[in-house]
Amino acid sequence: MANKFNRPTRANKPAKAPRSQTAGEAKAAKSKALRGGWKQQWRYAWLNTLADMGRQPLATLLTVMVIAISLTLPSLCYLVWKNVSQAAEQWYPTPQLTVYLDKVLDDDAALKVIGALKQEDGVAKVNYLSREEAMGEFRNWSGFGGAMDMLEENPLPAVAIITPKVNFQSADTLKTLRDRVAATQGVDEVRMDDSWFARLSALTGLVGKVSAMIGILMVIAVFLVIGNSIRLSIFSRCDTINVMKLIGATDGFILRPFLNGGALLGLGGAVLSLILSGTLVWQLESVVANVAAVFGTTFVLHGLSWDEAILLLLISSMIGWLAAWLATVQHLRRFTPD
């Protein structure tokens, strides 16, 4: 009887967990472990990168300074082009067309021609000088008043000075307007006063091309400097890489600290370059203001804006990452553990 009563019944047995719940818990635990593994790998990569830089502080500082100087040169060239373009827009006078009317036209006919010129598309303002007014201005400004009195008739034609609209002040649209004005009946000759515009456009274009060429060369220099620095770091850690290969470390695990190091070198060089560029602009602001005051005007020297600074940081970091990737991948492809 005792054995009968002591025998466990089916109702007293512990209930088994559903298989679906057990599988879900296992999947969640595996996902959590993977996330923790990735965090540990990234933490290890960054700590290893910082430790590697800390072991050679002087070499790291020199590399960052070389990168900063290489980035400062194109940055300064870009600032020169930027400020020259702004100065050209600020100081360049509005281009005008000087129209010489036929000498045979009387005042009424000349006024009709002026009315036709005002109706042309792109004309903002027309200043008219009759033949007598043109003679009076020439007499006052030339100093040949006595010689002009000896002439039997007025040799100067009536003049109309056309100021184009803002959207007609480029070189191509101004030439189109000149051709249409020249085709107007009663117009003898049209001259385009754009010599300063052509000179300033050529100057700003030259500065822009020089800046682009220097920028490309300096980007290549930064790429080579970071790549060479990463290669030296790889050679100094050949034994560590060999041990990691022997214990089964993947190329991505080995590669990650060097990629972080290249990105940090590029970022550090860009930050130091921004400091140098800002210091130079700050030192030159007073000089530029004094020069502008001598010419009776004002001009504010502009440095890199926030978006331009962020773009420089991103580009430099990407260059460092790419240089480190190329240098490390080439080495790992040829590396065989001993």
Side-chain angles (χ1 to χ4, degrees):
M1 294 295 294
N3 294 336
K4 182 178 180 181
F5 287 109
N6 293 334
R7 184 181 302 172
T9 60
R10 183 169 301 184
N12 295 330
K13 290 183 178 180
K16 295 182 179 180
R19 293 186 177 180
S20 60
Q21 183 179 358
T22 304
E25 291 178 354
K27 186 176 180 180
K30 183 178 180 181
S31 177
K32 184 177 180 180
L34 289 176
R35 289 196 300 268
W38 276 106
K39 291 180 181 178
Q40 292 178 358
Q41 290 185 18
W42 280 102
R43 188 183 301 112
Y44 169 80
W46 281 108
L47 291 177
N48 197 7
T49 300
L50 296 175
D52 187 40
M53 291 183 173
R55 282 192 296 267
Q56 298 176 339
L58 182 60
T60 302
L61 179 61
L62 291 177
T63 302
V64 171
M65 290 182 64
V66 171
I67 296 171
I69 294 174
S70 301
L71 293 174
T72 302
L73 291 177
S75 299
L76 291 179
C77 292
Y78 170 74
L79 290 178
V80 171
W81 173 80
K82 177 181 176 180
N83 286 276
V84 167
S85 300
Q86 292 179 354
E89 294 178 359
Q90 178 178 343
W91 293 335
Y92 175 67
T94 303
Q96 294 177 334
L97 296 177
T98 303
V99 182
Y100 298 97
L101 305 183
D102 289 335
K103 296 180 182 179
V104 298
L105 298 178
D106 55 13
D107 292 338
D108 294 335
L111 291 176
K112 290 182 180 179
V113 175
I114 296 301
L117 294 178
K118 290 181 179 180
Q119 300 301 322
E120 288 287 342
D121 185 24
V123 176
K125 182 180 179 182
V126 178
N127 292 330
Y128 172 65
L129 294 177
S130 63
R131 298 184 64 183
E132 290 74 16
E133 292 173 341
M135 172 66 78
E137 284 205 6
F138 183 79
R139 186 191 303 273
N140 294 331
W141 288 98
S142 65
F144 295 102
M148 299 299 295
D149 294 336
M150 299 174 61
L151 299 176
E152 296 181 356
E153 60 179 9
N154 185 1
L156 299 179
V159 179
I161 300 175
I162 297 177
T163 302
K165 295 181 179 179
V166 177
N167 55 346
F168 277 82
Q169 293 182 5
S170 63
D172 296 334
T173 55
L174 198 60
K175 289 180 181 178
T176 303
L177 179 60
R178 180 195 62 183
D179 295 338
R180 288 193 281 109
V181 170
T184 304
Q185 187 177 2
V187 174
D188 183 38
E189 184 182 0
V190 180
R191 292 186 179 180
M192 190 166 56
D193 303 331
D194 64 337
S195 58
W196 280 104
F197 180 78
R199 293 171 186 174
L200 287 176
S201 298
L203 178 61
T204 53
L206 176 62
V207 173
K209 289 182 179 180
V210 171
S211 302
M213 294 176 62
I214 294 178
I216 293 174
L217 293 177
M218 291 300 102
V219 165
I220 295 174
V222 171
F223 188 88
L224 295 177
V225 168
I226 296 178
N228 185 62
S229 177
I230 297 300
R231 285 178 63 87
L232 293 176
S233 179
I234 292 172
F235 289 140
S236 65
R237 299 181 59 189
C238 281
D239 295 337
T240 305
I241 296 175
N242 187 34
V243 173
M244 295 173 71
K245 278 283 191 179
L246 290 175
I247 63 177
T250 61
D251 289 346
F253 184 81
I254 300 173
L255 183 68
R256 197 170 295 120
F258 298 105
L259 297 181
N260 295 341
L264 280 180
L265 288 176
L267 182 63
V271 171
L272 186 56
S273 174
L274 290 175
I275 295 174
L276 293 176
S277 301
T279 304
L280 290 174
V281 170
W282 175 64
Q283 291 291 331
L284 292 175
E285 279 183 348
S286 59
V287 179
V288 173
N290 293 334
V291 173
V294 171
F295 288 94
T297 184
T298 58
F299 183 76
V300 179
L301 190 63
H302 296 279
L304 293 175
S305 59
W306 283 105
D307 52 349
E308 293 168 344
I310 294 174
L311 182 61
L312 178 62
L313 294 175
L314 291 176
I315 291 177
S316 182
S317 300
M318 292 175 61
I319 291 173
W321 189 93
L322 182 60
W325 182 80
L326 290 177
T328 312
V329 166
Q330 289 182 358
H331 180 79
L332 291 179
R333 285 177 180 175
R334 296 192 299 265
F335 184 84
T336 55
D338 297 333

